[in-house]
Amino acid sequence: MTTQGQTFLTNITNGTKVRLLKIDAGQGLKARLAAMGLLAGAEFKVINNGHPGPFVIELKGSRMVLGRGMAGKIIVKLSER
Amino acid sequence: MIPPMAEKIKKITVALAGNPNSGKTTIFNSLTGMRQHVGNYPGVTVEKKEGFCRYQDYELDIIDLPGTYSLTAYSTEEVVSRNFIIEQKPDVVVDVVDASNIERNLYLAVQLMELNVPLVLAFNMSDIARQKGLVFDIEKLSALLEVRIVQTVGNKKQGIDELLDGIIQTAQQQPKNPASLIKYGSEIEKEIEKLQQKFDELRNDRWTVIKLLEQDADVLGHIHNEEIVISVMESILRLKNIFGEEPEIIIADRRYGFISGACQETVKNTVEIRHNRSDMIDTVMTHKIFGLPIFIAMMYIVFDLTFRFSEWPMGWLEMFFGWLGRGISGFWSAGSDNILKSLLVDGIIGGVGGVVVFLPNIMLLFAAIAILEDSGYMARAAFVTDRLMHKIGLHGKSFIPMLIGFGCSVPAIMACRILENRRNRITTILVMPLFSCGAKLTIYALIIPAFFAEQWRGPVMWLIYFIGIALAVIAAKILRITLLKGETIPYVMELPPYRMPTAKSVLLHMWERGWLYLKKAGTIILLLSIILWAAARYPRMNAEKLAGLNDAEAQTAMLKYSVIGRAGSTLEPALKPLGFDYKIATALIGSMAAKEVFVAQMGIVYAVSEHDDASVLQEKLRSDYTPLQGFCVMLFCLISAPCIATIAITRSETGRIGWAIFQWAGLTTLAYMVTFVVYQVGMLIF
Ligand SMILES: Nc1nc2c(ncn2[C@@H]2O[C@H](COP(=O)(O)OP(=O)(O)O)[C@@H](O)[C@H]2O)c(=O)[nH]1
């Protein structure tokens, strides 16, 4: 499902800035992520797409690692440059 | 003249909140020094640290709340934090904020503001923020948020006095009403207003209303008025219709919006952040291929060093207890069988001493863990091992306690505190005894050479360790899909930058854990040791019956006559299918105190005097049992009945005696089944 520049976070290459559109997960998990600043509209940069190493993003100045399964539930859109 | 002493000391309670890695512990230590103690919050296994501090005319009672990112009901830590604030009403709440990471950290601050508590923000890590090029307009930000802000550098003790001044001033002030500062937009505000107008009990409680709209399970559970619940559900439905999203998410979004707004006006970023040092270290440390070997090498070094360095102090302690035992024995004539002597020397010094001897090991191990945590490596290690651990439903961090488990289950179970998720933690604790600890090694060291030829010894040892690990993996997996079912916390974690750990924090950590361990040894382990000592000694045999026997034979006869000996004989029929006779059964019961006791008890059963070396006993074992029986003994010792120290620590770390009983009974049953199958199948083959 990659309509209109929407894609799963796992498809994003290193160094790309994206905007979060939707998280495909249960309410509890979404709220947890929201508390860490990962909610619809949040802009962040993919530092490392897991090759090699963990999936790392930079969000509001801090580094976060995401499990691959987690990253596969996050739908994003490329930010306009 | 009135002496200044007459001035009354005023008490202030302060709750310390903050995100993980914000430097909260460092600030807590700077405020309280050594005047602190560790406990648990009632009913849950969340650690509660409390410390005291005297400043001017004030006595501050400082409570360290668990580190959290928010105050939702999704984790025990968060519920504990907010319930503490709501129920105990501390005079001041200090939120330790990582100033180098301001927006995310202010999220908790905003939630604390919503609680309407007298709040002080400690902008910690202000040195790092400066390095990153962040410049704050503190005055303006403070005015916007209506809270006092103090800049601190925790590890250099900068700003601590200012923080104390801020706390005292805030405590004396009339509380403001910052909760109304944050607006959630007209749609949500309308629903809040509606609910507040409709129900009297909500009128002055904006926080509860917001939590209700967020569908907070804990708050909802405390509402007994059906009408409120129904009205709230209606509001939530309306909001969902408008936004196409849970109100909870919208509310979180608005909070971030509020923070962004406040920061835009007051925080300037003067330097573009480039690749930093942490990034470079990380490309190596978390490398897909090298990450795991690096982790294993690190762990090897940690364990090697801790065991190497703890050898000397352990030797000293052993010498000390030996000296103490002999000293006390000296009050009685040689060979005397005085009960007090036996209780002191065999029961207490033997039992508690045997546990206390491990103290240096434990303290060094925890110092090492503190270094790994404070430096920021732990977060990476967790990531590196996560893929592996996820398969059995556990978190990457479980790996570290498990490794410690090869040394001793007790510190391993204590180390499970690094696991935030409760189900994860309990699962890891429950399977811990399956990792062959050092004491079990003494059993293998007796049995393997007795029954197996030189070239088979290594493989048999390896097999025993492997069986333990395999069973732990299977048991963990089963627990995670049955009793301790639940989503494995999907992996989202902050990667803190690498930092130099401070000596003070490491020492404090070491001291804390060591003290906890000593307390255990002095209470429950002492009690259980005495019970087992008595069971091995009573009832006594008539002296005449022992006539003509030498010392070793007399001991054998007495053990047979005691509660343990009788229990061993009684259990013999039940243990026969496993290949065990009453001698092994007796030693097994004795080894419930501590695994290494098995060897000593076997010695007594076989009337081997203490001065003979192990080969004498091994010779006797070889003549009585087959290698299959020997193997089954090891297998049973590996799996069954964790020692009393483990039981005690499981009880206190899980908060429930039930888990300790479950662990004991479950493992013993498992041991019975596995050994049964192995022995019976083995009999058919050999
Ligand atoms: N540079 C710097 N490091 C700090 C500061 N405060 C704490 N640290 C370090 O940050 C690390 C984590 O601190 P800690 O208090 O354990 O964080 P906690 O997880 O919030 O309890 C430790 O290595 C501290 O020495 C600070 O203000 N500046």
Side-chain angles (χ1 to χ4, degrees), chain B residues 18-29 49 64 67 96 123-128 131 152-158 370-371 373-376 496-497 499-502 505:
Chain B
N19 281 16
N21 297 311
S22 59
K24 195 161 67 68
T25 313
T26 313
I27 295 282
F28 179 72
N29 291 342
K49 272 203 236 164
D64 190 22
V96 181
F123 270 33
N124 196 36
M125 308 268 175
S126 44
D127 54 334
I128 296 180
Q131 277 168 29
T152 59
V153 182
N155 56 347
K156 301 215 181 74
K157 287 201 165 207
Q158 284 169 16
I371 292 173
E373 278 223 75
D374 284 2
S375 65
R499 298 194 185 100
M500 198 64 197
T502 59
S505 142

mmCIF file of all heavy atoms in Angstrom, chain B residues 18-29 49 64 67 96 123-128 131 152-158 370-371 373-376 496-497 499-502 505, ligand 1:
data_model
loop_
_atom_site.group_PDB
_atom_site.id
_atom_site.type_symbol
_atom_site.label_atom_id
_atom_site.label_comp_id
_atom_site.label_asym_id
_atom_site.label_seq_id
_atom_site.Cartn_x
_atom_site.Cartn_y
_atom_site.Cartn_z
ATOM 1 N N GLY B 18 10.669 12.380 36.573
ATOM 2 C CA GLY B 18 11.508 12.666 35.413
ATOM 3 C C GLY B 18 11.550 11.509 34.442
ATOM 4 O O GLY B 18 11.224 10.384 34.808
ATOM 5 N N ASN B 19 11.960 11.806 33.208
ATOM 6 C CA ASN B 19 12.117 10.753 32.206
ATOM 7 C C ASN B 19 13.295 9.852 32.572
ATOM 8 O O ASN B 19 14.205 10.306 33.259
ATOM 9 C CB ASN B 19 12.448 11.371 30.844
ATOM 10 C CG ASN B 19 11.228 11.932 30.150
ATOM 11 O OD1 ASN B 19 10.188 12.132 30.764
ATOM 12 N ND2 ASN B 19 11.356 12.201 28.887
ATOM 13 N N PRO B 20 13.289 8.606 32.095
ATOM 14 C CA PRO B 20 14.502 7.801 32.225
ATOM 15 C C PRO B 20 15.660 8.538 31.543
ATOM 16 O O PRO B 20 15.433 9.236 30.547
ATOM 17 C CB PRO B 20 14.170 6.525 31.457
ATOM 18 C CG PRO B 20 12.680 6.454 31.427
ATOM 19 C CD PRO B 20 12.196 7.859 31.445
ATOM 20 N N ASN B 21 16.842 8.386 32.062
ATOM 21 C CA ASN B 21 18.051 8.996 31.494
ATOM 22 C C ASN B 21 18.120 10.514 31.578
ATOM 23 O O ASN B 21 18.921 11.129 30.907
ATOM 24 C CB ASN B 21 18.236 8.617 30.018
ATOM 25 C CG ASN B 21 18.422 7.149 29.852
ATOM 26 O OD1 ASN B 21 19.238 6.550 30.553
ATOM 27 N ND2 ASN B 21 17.656 6.541 28.973
ATOM 28 N N SER B 22 17.255 11.114 32.380
ATOM 29 C CA SER B 22 17.314 12.563 32.483
ATOM 30 C C SER B 22 18.336 12.989 33.530
ATOM 31 O O SER B 22 18.620 14.162 33.685
ATOM 32 C CB SER B 22 15.938 13.114 32.848
ATOM 33 O OG SER B 22 15.520 12.566 34.082
ATOM 34 N N GLY B 23 18.883 11.999 34.263
ATOM 35 C CA GLY B 23 19.829 12.315 35.336
ATOM 36 C C GLY B 23 19.133 12.407 36.682
ATOM 37 O O GLY B 23 19.658 13.000 37.625
ATOM 38 N N LYS B 24 17.984 11.813 36.758
ATOM 39 C CA LYS B 24 17.174 11.881 37.983
ATOM 40 C C LYS B 24 17.901 11.265 39.186
ATOM 41 O O LYS B 24 17.930 11.841 40.268
ATOM 42 C CB LYS B 24 15.853 11.147 37.741
ATOM 43 C CG LYS B 24 14.796 11.421 38.755
ATOM 44 C CD LYS B 24 13.440 11.050 38.194
ATOM 45 C CE LYS B 24 13.324 9.544 37.977
ATOM 46 N NZ LYS B 24 13.305 8.829 39.251
ATOM 47 N N THR B 25 18.472 10.090 38.961
ATOM 48 C CA THR B 25 19.180 9.431 40.059
ATOM 49 C C THR B 25 20.344 10.290 40.535
ATOM 50 O O THR B 25 20.600 10.400 41.731
ATOM 51 C CB THR B 25 19.716 8.063 39.592
ATOM 52 O OG1 THR B 25 18.661 7.387 38.918
ATOM 53 C CG2 THR B 25 20.186 7.238 40.752
ATOM 54 N N THR B 26 21.043 10.904 39.578
ATOM 55 C CA THR B 26 22.177 11.743 39.934
ATOM 56 C C THR B 26 21.734 12.913 40.798
ATOM 57 O O THR B 26 22.364 13.243 41.800
ATOM 58 C CB THR B 26 22.861 12.254 38.648
ATOM 59 O OG1 THR B 26 23.034 11.154 37.761
ATOM 60 C CG2 THR B 26 24.190 12.876 38.950
ATOM 61 N N ILE B 27 20.622 13.532 40.410
ATOM 62 C CA ILE B 27 20.095 14.653 41.189
ATOM 63 C C ILE B 27 19.665 14.162 42.572
ATOM 64 O O ILE B 27 19.971 14.790 43.600
ATOM 65 C CB ILE B 27 18.889 15.300 40.463
ATOM 66 C CG1 ILE B 27 19.326 15.920 39.145
ATOM 67 C CG2 ILE B 27 18.207 16.331 41.351
ATOM 68 C CD1 ILE B 27 20.020 17.246 39.252
ATOM 69 N N PHE B 28 19.008 13.024 42.595
ATOM 70 C CA PHE B 28 18.563 12.462 43.875
ATOM 71 C C PHE B 28 19.760 12.227 44.799
ATOM 72 O O PHE B 28 19.742 12.614 45.968
ATOM 73 C CB PHE B 28 17.821 11.150 43.616
ATOM 74 C CG PHE B 28 17.323 10.459 44.858
ATOM 75 C CD1 PHE B 28 16.251 10.975 45.569
ATOM 76 C CD2 PHE B 28 17.936 9.304 45.324
ATOM 77 C CE1 PHE B 28 15.788 10.339 46.710
ATOM 78 C CE2 PHE B 28 17.478 8.664 46.466
ATOM 79 C CZ PHE B 28 16.406 9.189 47.160
ATOM 80 N N ASN B 29 20.812 11.652 44.240
ATOM 81 C CA ASN B 29 22.007 11.396 45.048
ATOM 82 C C ASN B 29 22.666 12.695 45.507
ATOM 83 O O ASN B 29 23.155 12.784 46.626
ATOM 84 C CB ASN B 29 23.017 10.560 44.268
ATOM 85 C CG ASN B 29 22.524 9.141 44.049
ATOM 86 O OD1 ASN B 29 21.606 8.684 44.743
ATOM 87 N ND2 ASN B 29 23.102 8.447 43.094
ATOM 88 N N LYS B 49 12.697 4.718 46.348
ATOM 89 C CA LYS B 49 13.848 5.254 47.066
ATOM 90 C C LYS B 49 13.436 6.511 47.786
ATOM 91 O O LYS B 49 12.742 7.361 47.239
ATOM 92 C CB LYS B 49 14.962 5.587 46.079
ATOM 93 C CG LYS B 49 15.857 4.406 45.811
ATOM 94 C CD LYS B 49 17.186 4.892 45.322
ATOM 95 C CE LYS B 49 17.507 4.285 43.992
ATOM 96 N NZ LYS B 49 18.561 4.975 43.298
ATOM 97 N N ASP B 64 11.982 9.401 45.396
ATOM 98 C CA ASP B 64 12.352 9.248 44.002
ATOM 99 C C ASP B 64 11.261 8.441 43.299
ATOM 100 O O ASP B 64 11.107 7.260 43.556
ATOM 101 C CB ASP B 64 13.695 8.498 43.957
ATOM 102 C CG ASP B 64 14.299 8.495 42.572
ATOM 103 O OD1 ASP B 64 13.937 9.379 41.781
ATOM 104 O OD2 ASP B 64 15.121 7.606 42.298
ATOM 105 N N GLY B 67 11.259 6.469 36.914
ATOM 106 C CA GLY B 67 11.451 7.254 35.702
ATOM 107 C C GLY B 67 10.420 6.887 34.640
ATOM 108 O O GLY B 67 10.272 5.722 34.313
ATOM 109 N N VAL B 96 12.740 16.379 36.886
ATOM 110 C CA VAL B 96 14.075 16.484 36.306
ATOM 111 C C VAL B 96 13.938 16.350 34.796
ATOM 112 O O VAL B 96 13.469 15.335 34.291
ATOM 113 C CB VAL B 96 15.024 15.413 36.863
ATOM 114 C CG1 VAL B 96 16.402 15.575 36.241
ATOM 115 C CG2 VAL B 96 15.096 15.511 38.368
ATOM 116 N N PHE B 123 16.172 21.850 34.993
ATOM 117 C CA PHE B 123 16.700 21.669 33.639
ATOM 118 C C PHE B 123 18.092 21.082 33.766
ATOM 119 O O PHE B 123 19.089 21.791 33.793
ATOM 120 C CB PHE B 123 16.733 23.016 32.890
ATOM 121 C CG PHE B 123 15.474 23.303 32.138
ATOM 122 C CD1 PHE B 123 14.243 22.878 32.618
ATOM 123 C CD2 PHE B 123 15.508 24.007 30.936
ATOM 124 C CE1 PHE B 123 13.066 23.131 31.913
ATOM 125 C CE2 PHE B 123 14.345 24.269 30.228
ATOM 126 C CZ PHE B 123 13.129 23.835 30.718
ATOM 127 N N ASN B 124 18.139 19.753 33.830
ATOM 128 C CA ASN B 124 19.417 19.069 34.013
ATOM 129 C C ASN B 124 20.104 18.899 32.661
ATOM 130 O O ASN B 124 19.514 19.190 31.623
ATOM 131 C CB ASN B 124 19.144 17.707 34.677
ATOM 132 C CG ASN B 124 20.395 17.099 35.240
ATOM 133 O OD1 ASN B 124 21.260 17.800 35.751
ATOM 134 N ND2 ASN B 124 20.508 15.792 35.140
ATOM 135 N N MET B 125 21.324 18.421 32.689
ATOM 136 C CA MET B 125 22.111 18.232 31.464
ATOM 137 C C MET B 125 22.247 19.567 30.741
ATOM 138 O O MET B 125 22.317 19.609 29.509
ATOM 139 C CB MET B 125 21.437 17.240 30.496
ATOM 140 C CG MET B 125 21.059 15.925 31.112
ATOM 141 S SD MET B 125 22.370 14.743 30.919
ATOM 142 C CE MET B 125 21.700 13.370 31.851
ATOM 143 N N SER B 126 22.251 20.641 31.490
ATOM 144 C CA SER B 126 22.304 21.930 30.798
ATOM 145 C C SER B 126 23.666 22.126 30.135
ATOM 146 O O SER B 126 23.778 22.902 29.199
ATOM 147 C CB SER B 126 21.954 23.082 31.739
ATOM 148 O OG SER B 126 22.599 22.926 32.965
ATOM 149 N N ASP B 127 24.678 21.379 30.626
ATOM 150 C CA ASP B 127 25.974 21.460 29.933
ATOM 151 C C ASP B 127 25.880 20.862 28.527
ATOM 152 O O ASP B 127 26.408 21.420 27.563
ATOM 153 C CB ASP B 127 27.064 20.755 30.753
ATOM 154 C CG ASP B 127 26.701 19.323 31.122
ATOM 155 O OD1 ASP B 127 25.490 19.019 31.194
ATOM 156 O OD2 ASP B 127 27.612 18.508 31.312
ATOM 157 N N ILE B 128 25.187 19.739 28.438
ATOM 158 C CA ILE B 128 25.061 19.097 27.129
ATOM 159 C C ILE B 128 24.191 19.932 26.203
ATOM 160 O O ILE B 128 24.483 20.080 25.011
ATOM 161 C CB ILE B 128 24.484 17.676 27.295
ATOM 162 C CG1 ILE B 128 25.482 16.840 28.102
ATOM 163 C CG2 ILE B 128 24.213 17.031 25.948
ATOM 164 C CD1 ILE B 128 25.051 15.428 28.336
ATOM 165 N N GLN B 131 26.337 22.499 24.776
ATOM 166 C CA GLN B 131 27.188 21.942 23.717
ATOM 167 C C GLN B 131 26.407 21.751 22.421
ATOM 168 O O GLN B 131 26.940 21.927 21.335
ATOM 169 C CB GLN B 131 27.718 20.571 24.128
ATOM 170 C CG GLN B 131 28.945 20.625 25.001
ATOM 171 C CD GLN B 131 29.236 19.260 25.593
ATOM 172 O OE1 GLN B 131 28.905 18.240 24.998
ATOM 173 N NE2 GLN B 131 29.841 19.246 26.760
ATOM 174 N N THR B 152 20.519 22.873 36.085
ATOM 175 C CA THR B 152 21.447 22.067 36.874
ATOM 176 C C THR B 152 22.380 21.255 35.978
ATOM 177 O O THR B 152 22.075 21.015 34.808
ATOM 178 C CB THR B 152 20.693 21.055 37.771
ATOM 179 O OG1 THR B 152 19.898 20.214 36.936
ATOM 180 C CG2 THR B 152 19.810 21.728 38.790
ATOM 181 N N VAL B 153 23.505 20.881 36.540
ATOM 182 C CA VAL B 153 24.371 19.876 35.921
ATOM 183 C C VAL B 153 24.602 18.840 37.012
ATOM 184 O O VAL B 153 25.427 19.007 37.895
ATOM 185 C CB VAL B 153 25.713 20.474 35.453
ATOM 186 C CG1 VAL B 153 26.565 19.398 34.780
ATOM 187 C CG2 VAL B 153 25.485 21.628 34.497
ATOM 188 N N GLY B 154 23.821 17.790 36.940
ATOM 189 C CA GLY B 154 23.769 16.822 38.039
ATOM 190 C C GLY B 154 25.110 16.234 38.419
ATOM 191 O O GLY B 154 25.483 16.197 39.589
ATOM 192 N N ASN B 155 25.860 15.795 37.410
ATOM 193 C CA ASN B 155 27.098 15.093 37.743
ATOM 194 C C ASN B 155 28.199 16.033 38.226
ATOM 195 O O ASN B 155 29.228 15.593 38.704
ATOM 196 C CB ASN B 155 27.564 14.241 36.557
ATOM 197 C CG ASN B 155 27.742 15.058 35.311
ATOM 198 O OD1 ASN B 155 27.289 16.207 35.249
ATOM 199 N ND2 ASN B 155 28.403 14.503 34.321
ATOM 200 N N LYS B 156 28.001 17.356 38.088
ATOM 201 C CA LYS B 156 28.989 18.298 38.623
ATOM 202 C C LYS B 156 28.429 19.038 39.823
ATOM 203 O O LYS B 156 29.029 19.990 40.307
ATOM 204 C CB LYS B 156 29.405 19.299 37.539
ATOM 205 C CG LYS B 156 30.003 18.622 36.319
ATOM 206 C CD LYS B 156 31.106 19.446 35.693
ATOM 207 C CE LYS B 156 31.665 18.769 34.457
ATOM 208 N NZ LYS B 156 30.733 18.855 33.296
ATOM 209 N N LYS B 157 27.261 18.626 40.254
ATOM 210 C CA LYS B 157 26.610 19.236 41.420
ATOM 211 C C LYS B 157 26.364 20.728 41.236
ATOM 212 O O LYS B 157 26.322 21.472 42.208
ATOM 213 C CB LYS B 157 27.450 19.020 42.678
ATOM 214 C CG LYS B 157 27.386 17.591 43.168
ATOM 215 C CD LYS B 157 27.771 17.534 44.613
ATOM 216 C CE LYS B 157 27.353 16.215 45.194
ATOM 217 N NZ LYS B 157 27.107 16.240 46.595
ATOM 218 N N GLN B 158 26.214 21.162 40.008
ATOM 219 C CA GLN B 158 25.925 22.572 39.776
ATOM 220 C C GLN B 158 24.427 22.800 39.865
ATOM 221 O O GLN B 158 23.636 22.034 39.338
ATOM 222 C CB GLN B 158 26.439 23.001 38.400
ATOM 223 C CG GLN B 158 27.940 23.185 38.370
ATOM 224 C CD GLN B 158 28.442 23.353 36.950
ATOM 225 O OE1 GLN B 158 27.674 23.622 36.032
ATOM 226 N NE2 GLN B 158 29.739 23.175 36.772
ATOM 227 N N ALA B 370 25.982 -1.204 36.980
ATOM 228 C CA ALA B 370 25.777 0.247 37.078
ATOM 229 C C ALA B 370 26.601 0.964 36.011
ATOM 230 O O ALA B 370 26.127 1.904 35.375
ATOM 231 C CB ALA B 370 26.151 0.749 38.474
ATOM 232 N N ILE B 371 27.824 0.502 35.795
ATOM 233 C CA ILE B 371 28.660 1.129 34.771
ATOM 234 C C ILE B 371 28.029 0.934 33.392
ATOM 235 O O ILE B 371 27.927 1.871 32.607
ATOM 236 C CB ILE B 371 30.091 0.544 34.797
ATOM 237 C CG1 ILE B 371 30.780 0.964 36.104
ATOM 238 C CG2 ILE B 371 30.899 1.013 33.591
ATOM 239 C CD1 ILE B 371 32.129 0.322 36.331
ATOM 240 N N GLU B 373 24.932 0.504 32.687
ATOM 241 C CA GLU B 373 23.705 1.299 32.571
ATOM 242 C C GLU B 373 24.027 2.776 32.397
ATOM 243 O O GLU B 373 23.505 3.427 31.511
ATOM 244 C CB GLU B 373 22.835 1.121 33.813
ATOM 245 C CG GLU B 373 22.007 -0.141 33.757
ATOM 246 C CD GLU B 373 20.581 0.091 34.241
ATOM 247 O OE1 GLU B 373 19.811 0.699 33.467
ATOM 248 O OE2 GLU B 373 20.254 -0.332 35.360
ATOM 249 N N ASP B 374 24.861 3.292 33.287
ATOM 250 C CA ASP B 374 25.143 4.730 33.268
ATOM 251 C C ASP B 374 25.858 5.167 32.004
ATOM 252 O O ASP B 374 25.676 6.279 31.542
ATOM 253 C CB ASP B 374 25.982 5.134 34.487
ATOM 254 C CG ASP B 374 25.131 5.197 35.745
ATOM 255 O OD1 ASP B 374 23.926 4.893 35.647
ATOM 256 O OD2 ASP B 374 25.659 5.548 36.810
ATOM 257 N N SER B 375 26.682 4.280 31.453
ATOM 258 C CA SER B 375 27.419 4.680 30.264
ATOM 259 C C SER B 375 26.522 4.708 29.039
ATOM 260 O O SER B 375 26.862 5.293 28.029
ATOM 261 C CB SER B 375 28.576 3.719 30.023
ATOM 262 O OG SER B 375 28.049 2.440 29.728
ATOM 263 N N GLY B 376 25.355 4.067 29.148
ATOM 264 C CA GLY B 376 24.442 4.043 28.009
ATOM 265 C C GLY B 376 24.570 2.770 27.187
ATOM 266 O O GLY B 376 23.825 2.563 26.242
ATOM 267 N N PRO B 496 20.061 6.616 24.785
ATOM 268 C CA PRO B 496 20.732 7.746 25.422
ATOM 269 C C PRO B 496 22.145 7.881 24.855
ATOM 270 O O PRO B 496 22.729 6.885 24.444
ATOM 271 C CB PRO B 496 20.787 7.330 26.897
ATOM 272 C CG PRO B 496 20.654 5.857 26.900
ATOM 273 C CD PRO B 496 19.891 5.473 25.678
ATOM 274 N N PRO B 497 22.657 9.087 24.792
ATOM 275 C CA PRO B 497 24.035 9.235 24.314
ATOM 276 C C PRO B 497 25.001 8.569 25.289
ATOM 277 O O PRO B 497 24.694 8.403 26.464
ATOM 278 C CB PRO B 497 24.243 10.746 24.290
ATOM 279 C CG PRO B 497 23.186 11.316 25.153
ATOM 280 C CD PRO B 497 22.053 10.366 25.145
ATOM 281 N N ARG B 499 27.828 8.231 27.889
ATOM 282 C CA ARG B 499 28.332 9.159 28.897
ATOM 283 C C ARG B 499 29.317 8.451 29.800
ATOM 284 O O ARG B 499 29.293 7.238 29.918
ATOM 285 C CB ARG B 499 27.191 9.663 29.796
ATOM 286 C CG ARG B 499 26.129 10.422 29.075
ATOM 287 C CD ARG B 499 25.259 11.147 30.076
ATOM 288 N NE ARG B 499 24.152 11.785 29.391
ATOM 289 C CZ ARG B 499 22.930 11.282 29.339
ATOM 290 N NH1 ARG B 499 22.659 10.151 29.934
ATOM 291 N NH2 ARG B 499 21.971 11.920 28.708
ATOM 292 N N MET B 500 30.133 9.266 30.454
ATOM 293 C CA MET B 500 31.084 8.695 31.405
ATOM 294 C C MET B 500 30.350 8.459 32.725
ATOM 295 O O MET B 500 29.817 9.389 33.307
ATOM 296 C CB MET B 500 32.208 9.717 31.610
ATOM 297 C CG MET B 500 33.444 9.115 32.199
ATOM 298 S SD MET B 500 34.136 7.922 31.039
ATOM 299 C CE MET B 500 35.189 7.056 32.157
ATOM 300 N N PRO B 501 30.316 7.220 33.226
ATOM 301 C CA PRO B 501 29.647 7.004 34.519
ATOM 302 C C PRO B 501 30.442 7.659 35.652
ATOM 303 O O PRO B 501 31.662 7.755 35.566
ATOM 304 C CB PRO B 501 29.649 5.488 34.689
ATOM 305 C CG PRO B 501 30.354 4.921 33.523
ATOM 306 C CD PRO B 501 30.878 6.000 32.662
ATOM 307 N N THR B 502 29.756 8.110 36.676
ATOM 308 C CA THR B 502 30.478 8.724 37.793
ATOM 309 C C THR B 502 30.716 7.680 38.877
ATOM 310 O O THR B 502 29.904 6.784 39.089
ATOM 311 C CB THR B 502 29.683 9.885 38.411
ATOM 312 O OG1 THR B 502 28.436 9.375 38.869
ATOM 313 C CG2 THR B 502 29.446 10.980 37.412
ATOM 314 N N SER B 505 27.920 7.377 41.624
ATOM 315 C CA SER B 505 26.710 6.635 41.280
ATOM 316 C C SER B 505 26.974 5.132 41.318
ATOM 317 O O SER B 505 26.166 4.346 41.808
ATOM 318 C CB SER B 505 26.234 7.105 39.903
ATOM 319 O OG SER B 505 25.734 6.044 39.163
HETATM 320 N N1 LIG C 1 26.864 15.753 31.173
HETATM 321 C C1 LIG C 1 25.974 15.511 32.144
HETATM 322 N N2 LIG C 1 25.774 14.229 32.554
HETATM 323 C C2 LIG C 1 24.879 14.000 33.546
HETATM 324 C C3 LIG C 1 24.147 15.059 34.152
HETATM 325 N N3 LIG C 1 23.336 14.516 35.084
HETATM 326 C C4 LIG C 1 23.557 13.172 35.062
HETATM 327 N N4 LIG C 1 24.490 12.860 34.138
HETATM 328 C C5 LIG C 1 24.979 11.520 33.773
HETATM 329 O O1 LIG C 1 23.947 10.872 33.051
HETATM 330 C C6 LIG C 1 23.939 9.461 33.286
HETATM 331 C C7 LIG C 1 22.544 8.988 33.670
HETATM 332 O O2 LIG C 1 22.163 9.579 34.860
HETATM 333 P P1 LIG C 1 21.133 8.916 35.881
HETATM 334 O O3 LIG C 1 21.060 9.809 37.041
HETATM 335 O O4 LIG C 1 21.488 7.489 36.135
HETATM 336 O O5 LIG C 1 19.801 8.975 35.012
HETATM 337 P P2 LIG C 1 18.334 8.463 35.372
HETATM 338 O O6 LIG C 1 18.083 7.317 34.449
HETATM 339 O O7 LIG C 1 17.442 9.613 35.030
HETATM 340 O O8 LIG C 1 18.294 8.111 36.797
HETATM 341 C C8 LIG C 1 24.970 9.231 34.359
HETATM 342 O O9 LIG C 1 26.126 8.736 33.732
HETATM 343 C C9 LIG C 1 25.214 10.607 34.949
HETATM 344 O O10 LIG C 1 26.537 10.750 35.431
HETATM 345 C C10 LIG C 1 24.379 16.411 33.681
HETATM 346 O O11 LIG C 1 23.771 17.378 34.138
HETATM 347 N N5 LIG C 1 25.302 16.554 32.692
#
